[in-house]
């Protein structure tokens, strides 16, 4: 089976390079090249059906995936490489190929057909790139591929197909952001980010959602490069969505997804700086979301708190205090100690509240101890900050 799949990928690459070599050598006209590709795809499709009926299922699956890849290459080349058809007609043809690939996967009951066909679809823009990026068409193409893959994956419970769709659509999208995209491409890119995130937020698999969450969060610095307040607010919204979905679906690693937004706010922003007050407020909201995860899970969901939850909360606390300290230092050093005392009081009150609300079982002591330790650390920092004017 693996030799068959490797052969399919090799043949798809061969067809793609044949298209480009035909251009360089001026063998036949563009229309003849595309028609040759379509004819080859139809022959492969008929051959796969004949093989399947004779019982050669593995070989039939490979030939069916090859047919799907050839169709993608042919129609995409007719539009973007040879400019023989318009965007609307090309989109219709490529959508039909997606439907055909899904039908073949269902017909042969083979996730390999769906994955190989999807890989061929994602490879097509890369293999036949002419350097002239048509953002609206390409982004619509990627979204349709991802939506079709999710539909097929959920119908047959093919989780691996969701992974391929999330990585493929997200990676090609980030590739468009790496280039110096024109200003008119900004709106399609923003719309795609929202649609892509909403699409994969419907996934029941936390890894699939986490991939989409991370890719969209990483893209916000380019999409909102001149709007620092909107950028940080967008990251906060993504973190909140990750926590809400994790709470509703009992995902263990939801706080880790929310923390990535917090970390990205530190690491990749290169635009103009926001005001210290706004930055401190946004950091506070981000940290409040992550810190609230433990008591909400404990009190509302009656779920067991894991070591990962404490690790994420501790990391968020360190990042939050460091960011808050830098912001308050720009406002005035006399506010740092007061803010540190206030944070210590909040964490101490939360520890006391959890202590009074929970039974005295030893398994429930860890959340109380965690927030009490954070409060103690903050008090220890606040005393020299206030009395001696030390720096943290």
């Amino acid at each position: 089976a693996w030799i068959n799949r490797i052969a399919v990928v090799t043949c798809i690459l061969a067809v793609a390079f044949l298209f480009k070599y035909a251009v360089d050598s001026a063998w036949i006209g563009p229309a003849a090249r595309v028609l040759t590709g379509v004819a080859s795809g139809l022959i492969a499709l008929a051959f796969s059906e004949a093989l399947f009926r004779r019982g050669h299922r593995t070989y039939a699956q490979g030939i069916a995936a090859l047919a799907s890849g050839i169709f993608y290459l042919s129609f995409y080349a007719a539009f973007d490489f040879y400019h023989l058809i318009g965007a609307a007609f090309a989109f219709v043809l490529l959508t039909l190929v997606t439907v055909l690939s899904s039908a073949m996967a269902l017909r042969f009951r083979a996730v390999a057909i769906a994955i190989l066909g999807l890989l061929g679809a994602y490879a097509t823009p890369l293999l036949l790139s002419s350097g002239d990026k048509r953002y609206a068409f390409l982004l619509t193409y990627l979204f349709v591929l991802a939506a079709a893959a999710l539909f097929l994956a959920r119908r047959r419970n093919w989780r691996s197909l969701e992974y391929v769709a999330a990585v493929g659509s997200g990676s090609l999208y980030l590739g468009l952001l790496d280039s110096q995209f024109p200003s008119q491409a900004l709106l399609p890119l923003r719309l795609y980010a929202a649609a892509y995130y909403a699409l994969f937020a419907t996934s029941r698999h936390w890894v699939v959602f986490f991939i989409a969450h991370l890719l969209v969060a990483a893209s916000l610095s380019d999409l909102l490069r001149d709007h620092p307040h909107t950028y940080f607010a967008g990251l906060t919204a993504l973190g909140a969505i990750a926590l809400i979905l994790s709470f509703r679906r009992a995902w263990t690693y939801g706080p880790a997804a929310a923390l990535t937004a917090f970390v990205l706010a530190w690491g990749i922003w290169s635009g103009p700086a926001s005001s210290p007050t706004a930055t401190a407020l946004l950091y506070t909201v981000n940290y409040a979301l992550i810190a609230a995860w433990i008591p909400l899970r404990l009190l509302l969901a009656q779920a067991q708190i894991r070591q990962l939850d404490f690790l994420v909360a501790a990391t968020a606390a360190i990042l939050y205090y460091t960011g808050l300290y830098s912001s308050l230092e720009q406002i005035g050093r006399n506010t740092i100690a007061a803010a540190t005392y206030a944070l210590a009081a909040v964490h101490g009150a939360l520890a006391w509240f959890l202590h009074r609300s929970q039974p005295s079982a030893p398994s429930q002591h860890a959340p109380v101890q965690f927030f009490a330790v954070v409060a103690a650390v903050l008090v220890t920092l606040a005393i020299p900050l206030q009395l001696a004017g030390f720096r943290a």
Side-chain angles (χ1 to χ4, degrees):
W2 276 106
I3 293 175
N4 184 50
R5 293 165 188 171
I6 293 171
V8 170
V9 175
T10 306
C11 289
I12 292 175
L13 292 173
V15 173
F17 292 129
L18 182 63
F19 272 124
K20 299 184 80 72
Y21 188 71
V23 175
D24 299 333
S25 303
W27 286 349
I28 54 178
R33 297 168 201 155
V34 173
L35 290 176
T36 301
V38 173
S40 301
L42 291 173
I43 293 172
L45 185 63
F47 191 39
S48 67
E49 178 64 23
L51 288 170
F52 181 75
R53 292 183 178 182
R54 295 179 182 177
H56 303 292
R57 294 178 178 269
T58 301
Y59 193 25
Q61 293 169 10
I63 300 300
L66 175 60
S68 174
I70 292 175
F71 284 137
Y72 276 119
L73 288 167
S74 301
F75 295 140
Y76 196 91
F79 165 70
D80 194 46
F81 203 50
Y82 300 132
H83 309 293
L84 295 175
I85 57 178
F89 189 46
F91 179 73
V92 171
L93 291 176
L94 291 169
T95 302
L96 290 176
V97 176
T98 302
V99 173
L100 177 63
S101 300
S102 303
M104 288 190 297
L106 293 174
R107 160 74 171 152
F108 297 155
R109 297 183 180 180
V111 67
I113 294 179
I115 291 177
L116 289 171
L118 195 60
L119 290 175
Y122 286 132
T124 294
L126 299 176
L127 294 171
L128 300 181
S129 176
S130 60
D132 182 20
K133 294 183 175 64
R134 307 187 186 190
Y135 289 88
F137 176 83
L138 182 55
L139 292 171
T140 306
Y141 172 73
L142 293 178
F143 181 79
V144 170
L145 286 178
L150 289 186
F151 171 78
L152 192 61
R154 291 167 191 176
R155 180 157 183 167
R156 288 294 185 184
N157 197 24
W158 290 337
R159 184 184 301 185
S160 56
L161 194 60
E162 291 196 35
Y163 296 149
V164 175
V167 174
S169 296
S171 299
L172 290 181
Y173 163 67
L174 286 184
L176 293 176
L177 291 177
D178 286 340
S179 60
Q180 296 297 322
F181 57 88
S183 58
Q184 61 266 26
L186 191 57
L187 180 59
L189 289 168
R190 288 175 176 174
L191 290 176
Y192 177 82
Y196 170 81
Y197 190 84
L199 179 65
F200 284 97
T202 62
S203 176
R204 291 290 174 177
H205 307 300
W206 73 267
V207 176
V208 175
F209 169 74
F210 186 86
I211 291 171
H213 177 85
L214 181 61
L215 290 174
V216 172
S219 71
L220 288 185
S221 62
D222 290 310
L223 298 179
L224 305 170
R225 52 193 172 194
D226 296 324
H227 307 281
H229 294 145
T230 308
Y231 168 71
F232 284 104
L235 286 177
T236 303
L238 291 182
I241 292 172
L243 288 174
I244 291 172
L245 291 178
S246 300
F247 190 83
R248 292 178 61 87
R249 298 172 183 174
W251 285 343
T252 303
Y253 300 97
L259 184 63
T260 57
F262 213 153
V263 174
L264 288 171
W266 282 72
I268 66 176
W269 177 249
S270 58
S274 59
S275 64
T277 303
T279 302
L281 178 61
L282 289 168
Y283 278 140
T284 300
V285 174
N286 270 278
Y287 177 65
L289 288 172
I290 298 176
W293 172 263
I294 292 178
L296 286 177
R297 288 260 295 173
L298 200 62
L299 299 176
L300 299 182
Q302 299 295 319
Q304 182 180 2
I305 306 301
R306 304 175 184 273
Q307 291 183 350
L308 178 64
D309 296 328
F310 295 117
L311 178 62
V312 170
T315 304
I318 294 171
L319 289 175
Y320 168 60
Y321 186 76
T322 306
L324 184 68
Y325 185 93
S326 301
S327 300
L328 294 179
E329 195 172 32
Q330 299 178 47
I331 299 173
R333 285 189 53 80
N334 56 346
T335 62
I336 296 177
T340 307
Y341 277 125
L343 287 174
V346 169
H347 285 81
L350 187 56
W352 178 253
F353 173 74
L354 291 178
H355 172 68
R356 296 297 299 268
S357 303
Q358 294 298 302
S360 57
S363 61
Q364 303 296 338
H365 290 171
V368 176
Q369 294 170 354
F370 171 77
F371 287 108
V373 166
V374 173
V377 170
L378 289 171
V379 169
T380 307
L381 281 172
I383 293 173
L385 286 173
Q386 180 185 24
L387 300 181
F390 290 165
R391 294 174 57 86

